[in-house]
Amino acid sequence: MIIYRVATAFDLPVFVSLDKELFPYSPWSASQYKEEFSSPTRHFVVAVDEAQSIIGYAGVFAPGGAEADVLTVGVVPSHRGKGIARQLMVLITDWAHKQGSTAMMLEVKVDNQDAIGLYEALGYSKLNTRKDYFGPGLHALVMRLELS
Ligand SMILES: CC(C)(COP(=O)(O)OP(=O)(O)OC[C@H]1O[C@@H](n2cnc3c(N)ncnc32)[C@H](O)[C@@H]1OP(=O)(O)O)[C@@H](O)C(=O)NCCC(=O)NCCS
């Protein structure tokens, strides 16, 4: 059974390690995660399996009005295609909505078809592109979801 819960500072090393695997082009460091975790405008959730291992995670920045930003979402390869990312996205979106956000924004690498498929399935629309957003030659697609 998969359990979803709010992330704690104890999960930080796992985030750092999984980031290296899932986001080799832009992993966050421990100090970056530490800073993010300490801010009340950020919210991170995890999915854990029966062995209590983290198999997915997501984070959002909701400054308390207008737009919230999806900071990250990732699922380990062995557990993909089971709806875990969808559920993690629902959890961070609900939290942002409760903070007063009226829209969700995100940047995704233009060639990341898996993630673009996920966001489109959740109702996000493509807005524009940001050149070199993730580094030289790594362009981002900006996507947005209105929250009713
Ligand atoms: C993108 C990612 C988070 C999807 O995780 P997942 O748990 O497999 O996704 P889900 O099973 O919740 O899929 C939900 C929906 O997203 C879409 N989707 C998921 N994977 C997809 C793929 N490979 N191609 C197209 N659409 C896809 C589908 O519409 C799916 O709905 P369905 O199962 O009803 O068809 C995962 O592939 C991942 O961790 N990738 C590496 C990290 C990453 O790139 N994160 C995004 C950063 S912007």
Side-chain angles (χ1 to χ4, degrees), residues 100-145:
S101 303
T102 54
M104 301 288 283
M105 298 282 292
L106 59 84
E107 291 84 19
V108 54
K109 212 143 69 68
V110 289
D111 60 355
N112 191 344
Q113 289 307 327
D114 297 358
I116 293 169
L118 166 69
Y119 302 139
E120 284 186 328
L122 292 169
Y124 281 75
S125 14
K126 296 175 179 172
L127 273 193
N128 50 43
T129 51
R130 285 191 188 152
K131 201 165 172 280
D132 301 327
Y133 182 83
F134 293 108
L138 302 175
H139 313 315
L141 176 64
V142 182
M143 300 185 78
R144 180 184 174 95
L145 174 72

Short mmCIF file of all heavy atoms in Angstrom, two decimals, residues 100-145:
data_model
loop_
_atom_site.label_atom_id
_atom_site.label_comp_id
_atom_site.label_asym_id
_atom_site.label_seq_id
_atom_site.Cartn_x
_atom_site.Cartn_y
_atom_site.Cartn_z
N GLY A 100 -4.68 30.33 -0.75
CA GLY A 100 -5.25 31.45 -1.51
C GLY A 100 -4.78 31.54 -2.94
O GLY A 100 -5.13 32.51 -3.65
N SER A 101 -4.00 30.58 -3.40
CA SER A 101 -3.53 30.63 -4.79
C SER A 101 -4.69 30.39 -5.75
O SER A 101 -5.57 29.57 -5.48
CB SER A 101 -2.47 29.56 -5.04
OG SER A 101 -1.41 29.72 -4.13
N THR A 102 -4.67 31.11 -6.86
CA THR A 102 -5.74 30.97 -7.84
C THR A 102 -5.25 30.31 -9.13
O THR A 102 -6.03 30.06 -10.04
CB THR A 102 -6.34 32.35 -8.18
OG1 THR A 102 -5.27 33.22 -8.57
CG2 THR A 102 -7.06 32.94 -6.98
N ALA A 103 -3.94 30.06 -9.20
CA ALA A 103 -3.39 29.37 -10.37
C ALA A 103 -2.10 28.67 -9.99
O ALA A 103 -1.42 29.07 -9.04
CB ALA A 103 -3.13 30.37 -11.50
N MET A 104 -1.79 27.62 -10.74
CA MET A 104 -0.53 26.89 -10.56
C MET A 104 0.32 27.13 -11.80
O MET A 104 -0.19 27.09 -12.92
CB MET A 104 -0.79 25.38 -10.43
CG MET A 104 -1.69 24.98 -9.29
SD MET A 104 -0.91 25.13 -7.68
CE MET A 104 0.14 23.67 -7.66
N MET A 105 1.62 27.37 -11.58
CA MET A 105 2.54 27.58 -12.70
C MET A 105 3.68 26.58 -12.56
O MET A 105 4.03 26.16 -11.46
CB MET A 105 3.15 28.98 -12.63
CG MET A 105 2.18 30.12 -12.75
SD MET A 105 1.65 30.42 -14.41
CE MET A 105 3.16 31.02 -15.16
N LEU A 106 4.30 26.25 -13.67
CA LEU A 106 5.48 25.39 -13.60
C LEU A 106 6.32 25.54 -14.86
O LEU A 106 5.84 26.02 -15.89
CB LEU A 106 5.09 23.93 -13.39
CG LEU A 106 4.18 23.26 -14.43
CD1 LEU A 106 4.99 22.74 -15.61
CD2 LEU A 106 3.43 22.11 -13.78
N GLU A 107 7.58 25.14 -14.73
CA GLU A 107 8.48 25.07 -15.87
C GLU A 107 8.91 23.62 -16.03
O GLU A 107 9.26 22.97 -15.03
CB GLU A 107 9.74 25.93 -15.67
CG GLU A 107 9.49 27.42 -15.67
CD GLU A 107 9.06 27.94 -14.31
OE1 GLU A 107 9.29 27.24 -13.30
OE2 GLU A 107 8.49 29.04 -14.24
N VAL A 108 8.87 23.13 -17.26
CA VAL A 108 9.27 21.75 -17.52
C VAL A 108 10.16 21.75 -18.77
O VAL A 108 9.95 22.55 -19.68
CB VAL A 108 8.02 20.85 -17.71
CG1 VAL A 108 7.08 21.38 -18.78
CG2 VAL A 108 8.40 19.41 -18.01
N LYS A 109 11.17 20.86 -18.76
CA LYS A 109 12.07 20.81 -19.90
C LYS A 109 11.24 20.47 -21.16
O LYS A 109 10.41 19.57 -21.12
CB LYS A 109 13.17 19.76 -19.65
CG LYS A 109 14.48 20.10 -20.28
CD LYS A 109 15.68 19.70 -19.41
CE LYS A 109 15.88 18.21 -19.29
NZ LYS A 109 16.29 17.56 -20.54
N VAL A 110 11.50 21.18 -22.26
CA VAL A 110 10.65 21.04 -23.45
C VAL A 110 10.60 19.62 -24.00
O VAL A 110 9.62 19.25 -24.65
CB VAL A 110 11.10 22.01 -24.59
CG1 VAL A 110 10.78 23.44 -24.25
CG2 VAL A 110 12.57 21.84 -24.91
N ASP A 111 11.63 18.80 -23.71
CA ASP A 111 11.62 17.43 -24.24
C ASP A 111 11.18 16.40 -23.20
O ASP A 111 11.30 15.20 -23.42
CB ASP A 111 13.01 17.07 -24.77
CG ASP A 111 14.09 17.14 -23.68
OD1 ASP A 111 13.76 17.55 -22.54
OD2 ASP A 111 15.24 16.79 -23.97
N ASN A 112 10.66 16.86 -22.06
CA ASN A 112 10.24 15.93 -20.99
C ASN A 112 8.78 15.50 -21.23
O ASN A 112 7.85 15.98 -20.59
CB ASN A 112 10.40 16.61 -19.62
CG ASN A 112 10.23 15.62 -18.48
OD1 ASN A 112 9.71 14.53 -18.66
ND2 ASN A 112 10.65 16.02 -17.29
N GLN A 113 8.63 14.57 -22.18
CA GLN A 113 7.27 14.17 -22.59
C GLN A 113 6.48 13.53 -21.46
O GLN A 113 5.26 13.70 -21.37
CB GLN A 113 7.35 13.21 -23.79
CG GLN A 113 7.79 13.89 -25.09
CD GLN A 113 6.96 15.12 -25.45
OE1 GLN A 113 5.76 15.18 -25.15
NE2 GLN A 113 7.57 16.13 -26.04
N ASP A 114 7.16 12.78 -20.59
CA ASP A 114 6.45 12.13 -19.47
C ASP A 114 5.77 13.18 -18.60
O ASP A 114 4.59 13.08 -18.26
CB ASP A 114 7.43 11.34 -18.58
CG ASP A 114 8.08 10.20 -19.34
OD1 ASP A 114 7.76 10.00 -20.52
OD2 ASP A 114 8.93 9.51 -18.73
N ALA A 115 6.55 14.19 -18.22
CA ALA A 115 6.02 15.22 -17.33
C ALA A 115 4.98 16.09 -18.04
O ALA A 115 3.94 16.42 -17.45
CB ALA A 115 7.16 16.09 -16.80
N ILE A 116 5.24 16.43 -19.30
CA ILE A 116 4.27 17.25 -20.04
C ILE A 116 2.95 16.48 -20.14
O ILE A 116 1.86 17.04 -19.98
CB ILE A 116 4.83 17.65 -21.42
CG1 ILE A 116 6.02 18.60 -21.23
CG2 ILE A 116 3.75 18.30 -22.29
CD1 ILE A 116 6.84 18.88 -22.49
N GLY A 117 3.05 15.15 -20.35
CA GLY A 117 1.84 14.30 -20.40
C GLY A 117 1.08 14.34 -19.08
O GLY A 117 -0.14 14.45 -19.06
N LEU A 118 1.84 14.31 -17.98
CA LEU A 118 1.22 14.38 -16.66
C LEU A 118 0.48 15.72 -16.49
O LEU A 118 -0.68 15.76 -16.08
CB LEU A 118 2.29 14.23 -15.57
CG LEU A 118 1.89 14.60 -14.15
CD1 LEU A 118 0.89 13.60 -13.58
CD2 LEU A 118 3.12 14.68 -13.24
N TYR A 119 1.17 16.80 -16.79
CA TYR A 119 0.57 18.13 -16.58
C TYR A 119 -0.64 18.35 -17.48
O TYR A 119 -1.64 18.92 -17.05
CB TYR A 119 1.63 19.22 -16.79
CG TYR A 119 2.83 19.07 -15.88
CD1 TYR A 119 4.13 19.29 -16.35
CD2 TYR A 119 2.68 18.69 -14.55
CE1 TYR A 119 5.23 19.14 -15.52
CE2 TYR A 119 3.78 18.52 -13.72
CZ TYR A 119 5.06 18.75 -14.21
OH TYR A 119 6.14 18.58 -13.39
N GLU A 120 -0.55 17.86 -18.71
CA GLU A 120 -1.71 18.02 -19.62
C GLU A 120 -2.89 17.20 -19.09
O GLU A 120 -4.04 17.66 -19.14
CB GLU A 120 -1.33 17.60 -21.03
CG GLU A 120 -0.48 18.67 -21.71
CD GLU A 120 -0.18 18.38 -23.17
OE1 GLU A 120 -0.07 17.19 -23.53
OE2 GLU A 120 -0.02 19.34 -23.94
N ALA A 121 -2.58 16.02 -18.55
CA ALA A 121 -3.66 15.18 -18.00
C ALA A 121 -4.33 15.86 -16.81
O ALA A 121 -5.51 15.64 -16.54
CB ALA A 121 -3.09 13.82 -17.57
N LEU A 122 -3.58 16.73 -16.13
CA LEU A 122 -4.13 17.45 -14.97
C LEU A 122 -4.80 18.76 -15.38
O LEU A 122 -5.30 19.49 -14.53
CB LEU A 122 -3.01 17.73 -13.96
CG LEU A 122 -2.44 16.49 -13.26
CD1 LEU A 122 -1.17 16.86 -12.48
CD2 LEU A 122 -3.46 15.87 -12.32
N GLY A 123 -4.77 19.08 -16.66
CA GLY A 123 -5.47 20.28 -17.15
C GLY A 123 -4.60 21.49 -17.38
O GLY A 123 -5.10 22.58 -17.68
N TYR A 124 -3.28 21.36 -17.23
CA TYR A 124 -2.37 22.48 -17.47
C TYR A 124 -2.34 22.82 -18.96
O TYR A 124 -2.41 21.92 -19.80
CB TYR A 124 -0.94 22.14 -17.04
CG TYR A 124 -0.70 22.24 -15.56
CD1 TYR A 124 -1.18 21.26 -14.69
CD2 TYR A 124 0.01 23.30 -15.01
CE1 TYR A 124 -0.96 21.33 -13.32
CE2 TYR A 124 0.23 23.38 -13.64
CZ TYR A 124 -0.25 22.40 -12.80
OH TYR A 124 -0.04 22.47 -11.45
N SER A 125 -2.22 24.13 -19.27
CA SER A 125 -2.02 24.52 -20.67
C SER A 125 -0.64 25.11 -20.87
O SER A 125 -0.04 25.65 -19.93
CB SER A 125 -3.09 25.51 -21.15
OG SER A 125 -3.80 26.04 -20.12
N LYS A 126 -0.17 24.99 -22.11
CA LYS A 126 1.15 25.50 -22.46
C LYS A 126 1.06 27.01 -22.67
O LYS A 126 0.20 27.47 -23.40
CB LYS A 126 1.64 24.83 -23.74
CG LYS A 126 1.83 23.33 -23.58
CD LYS A 126 2.20 22.68 -24.92
CE LYS A 126 2.40 21.18 -24.72
NZ LYS A 126 2.58 20.43 -25.98
N LEU A 127 1.97 27.76 -22.00
CA LEU A 127 1.93 29.22 -22.11
C LEU A 127 2.98 29.74 -23.08
O LEU A 127 2.67 30.43 -24.03
CB LEU A 127 2.21 29.86 -20.75
CG LEU A 127 1.08 30.10 -19.78
CD1 LEU A 127 1.56 31.01 -18.67
CD2 LEU A 127 -0.12 30.70 -20.47
N ASN A 128 4.24 29.46 -22.80
CA ASN A 128 5.34 29.93 -23.64
C ASN A 128 6.60 29.13 -23.29
O ASN A 128 6.54 28.22 -22.48
CB ASN A 128 5.59 31.44 -23.44
CG ASN A 128 5.70 31.80 -21.97
OD1 ASN A 128 6.35 31.08 -21.20
ND2 ASN A 128 5.06 32.86 -21.55
N THR A 129 7.72 29.51 -23.89
CA THR A 129 8.98 28.81 -23.56
C THR A 129 9.98 29.81 -22.99
O THR A 129 9.93 31.00 -23.29
CB THR A 129 9.60 28.12 -24.80
OG1 THR A 129 9.69 29.06 -25.85
CG2 THR A 129 8.78 26.93 -25.25
N ARG A 130 10.89 29.27 -22.14
CA ARG A 130 11.97 30.09 -21.59
C ARG A 130 13.29 29.47 -22.02
O ARG A 130 13.60 28.33 -21.62
CB ARG A 130 11.89 30.15 -20.07
CG ARG A 130 10.80 31.06 -19.62
CD ARG A 130 10.84 31.37 -18.14
NE ARG A 130 9.63 32.08 -17.78
CZ ARG A 130 9.07 32.07 -16.60
NH1 ARG A 130 9.62 31.42 -15.62
NH2 ARG A 130 7.98 32.74 -16.35
N LYS A 131 14.03 30.23 -22.83
CA LYS A 131 15.27 29.74 -23.40
C LYS A 131 16.33 29.55 -22.30
O LYS A 131 16.45 30.40 -21.41
CB LYS A 131 15.75 30.76 -24.44
CG LYS A 131 16.70 30.22 -25.46
CD LYS A 131 16.81 31.19 -26.65
CE LYS A 131 17.91 30.74 -27.58
NZ LYS A 131 19.24 31.11 -27.12
N ASP A 132 17.05 28.45 -22.36
CA ASP A 132 18.17 28.17 -21.46
C ASP A 132 17.78 28.19 -19.98
O ASP A 132 18.63 28.43 -19.11
CB ASP A 132 19.31 29.19 -21.70
CG ASP A 132 19.82 29.14 -23.13
OD1 ASP A 132 19.80 28.05 -23.72
OD2 ASP A 132 20.22 30.19 -23.66
N TYR A 133 16.53 27.95 -19.67
CA TYR A 133 16.05 28.04 -18.28
C TYR A 133 16.78 27.06 -17.36
O TYR A 133 17.12 27.39 -16.22
CB TYR A 133 14.54 27.77 -18.25
CG TYR A 133 13.93 27.87 -16.88
CD1 TYR A 133 13.56 29.10 -16.35
CD2 TYR A 133 13.73 26.73 -16.09
CE1 TYR A 133 13.01 29.20 -15.09
CE2 TYR A 133 13.17 26.83 -14.83
CZ TYR A 133 12.81 28.06 -14.33
OH TYR A 133 12.26 28.15 -13.08
N PHE A 134 17.02 25.84 -17.85
CA PHE A 134 17.68 24.82 -17.00
C PHE A 134 19.19 24.76 -17.26
O PHE A 134 19.86 23.87 -16.74
CB PHE A 134 17.06 23.44 -17.25
CG PHE A 134 15.64 23.31 -16.77
CD1 PHE A 134 14.59 23.24 -17.69
CD2 PHE A 134 15.33 23.27 -15.42
CE1 PHE A 134 13.27 23.12 -17.26
CE2 PHE A 134 14.02 23.15 -14.98
CZ PHE A 134 12.98 23.08 -15.90
N GLY A 135 19.70 25.69 -18.06
CA GLY A 135 21.12 25.68 -18.43
C GLY A 135 21.22 25.89 -19.93
O GLY A 135 20.20 25.87 -20.63
N PRO A 136 22.44 26.08 -20.43
CA PRO A 136 22.61 26.33 -21.86
C PRO A 136 22.00 25.21 -22.72
O PRO A 136 22.31 24.04 -22.53
CB PRO A 136 24.13 26.40 -22.04
CG PRO A 136 24.66 26.70 -20.68
CD PRO A 136 23.71 26.08 -19.70
N GLY A 137 21.10 25.60 -23.60
CA GLY A 137 20.46 24.63 -24.51
C GLY A 137 19.32 23.85 -23.87
O GLY A 137 18.68 23.03 -24.54
N LEU A 138 19.05 24.08 -22.59
CA LEU A 138 17.98 23.34 -21.90
C LEU A 138 16.79 24.27 -21.69
O LEU A 138 16.68 24.95 -20.67
CB LEU A 138 18.49 22.80 -20.55
CG LEU A 138 19.71 21.88 -20.61
CD1 LEU A 138 20.18 21.51 -19.21
CD2 LEU A 138 19.39 20.62 -21.41
N HIS A 139 15.94 24.30 -22.69
CA HIS A 139 14.81 25.24 -22.67
C HIS A 139 13.64 24.69 -21.86
O HIS A 139 13.45 23.48 -21.78
CB HIS A 139 14.37 25.55 -24.10
CG HIS A 139 15.51 25.86 -25.02
ND1 HIS A 139 16.53 26.72 -24.65
CD2 HIS A 139 15.82 25.41 -26.25
CE1 HIS A 139 17.41 26.79 -25.63
NE2 HIS A 139 17.01 26.01 -26.61
N ALA A 140 12.85 25.63 -21.31
CA ALA A 140 11.70 25.22 -20.50
C ALA A 140 10.40 25.63 -21.17
O ALA A 140 10.32 26.67 -21.83
CB ALA A 140 11.79 25.87 -19.12
N LEU A 141 9.41 24.78 -20.98
CA LEU A 141 8.05 25.11 -21.38
C LEU A 141 7.35 25.58 -20.10
O LEU A 141 7.47 24.94 -19.06
CB LEU A 141 7.39 23.83 -21.91
CG LEU A 141 5.92 23.87 -22.31
CD1 LEU A 141 5.73 24.81 -23.50
CD2 LEU A 141 5.46 22.46 -22.66
N VAL A 142 6.66 26.72 -20.18
CA VAL A 142 5.92 27.23 -19.03
C VAL A 142 4.46 26.78 -19.16
O VAL A 142 3.86 26.93 -20.22
CB VAL A 142 5.98 28.78 -18.97
CG1 VAL A 142 5.24 29.30 -17.74
CG2 VAL A 142 7.42 29.25 -18.98
N MET A 143 3.95 26.18 -18.08
CA MET A 143 2.57 25.69 -18.12
C MET A 143 1.78 26.27 -16.94
O MET A 143 2.37 26.61 -15.90
CB MET A 143 2.55 24.16 -18.09
CG MET A 143 3.28 23.55 -19.29
SD MET A 143 3.17 21.75 -19.37
CE MET A 143 1.52 21.49 -20.02
N ARG A 144 0.47 26.33 -17.12
CA ARG A 144 -0.37 26.99 -16.11
C ARG A 144 -1.71 26.27 -15.96
O ARG A 144 -2.27 25.77 -16.94
CB ARG A 144 -0.61 28.44 -16.57
CG ARG A 144 -1.47 29.26 -15.64
CD ARG A 144 -1.73 30.65 -16.24
NE ARG A 144 -2.66 31.42 -15.44
CZ ARG A 144 -2.30 32.30 -14.51
NH1 ARG A 144 -1.02 32.56 -14.32
NH2 ARG A 144 -3.20 32.94 -13.81
N LEU A 145 -2.17 26.24 -14.73
CA LEU A 145 -3.50 25.67 -14.43
C LEU A 145 -4.27 26.68 -13.59
O LEU A 145 -3.78 27.12 -12.54
CB LEU A 145 -3.33 24.36 -13.64
CG LEU A 145 -4.62 23.72 -13.12
CD1 LEU A 145 -5.43 23.11 -14.26
CD2 LEU A 145 -4.31 22.64 -12.08
#
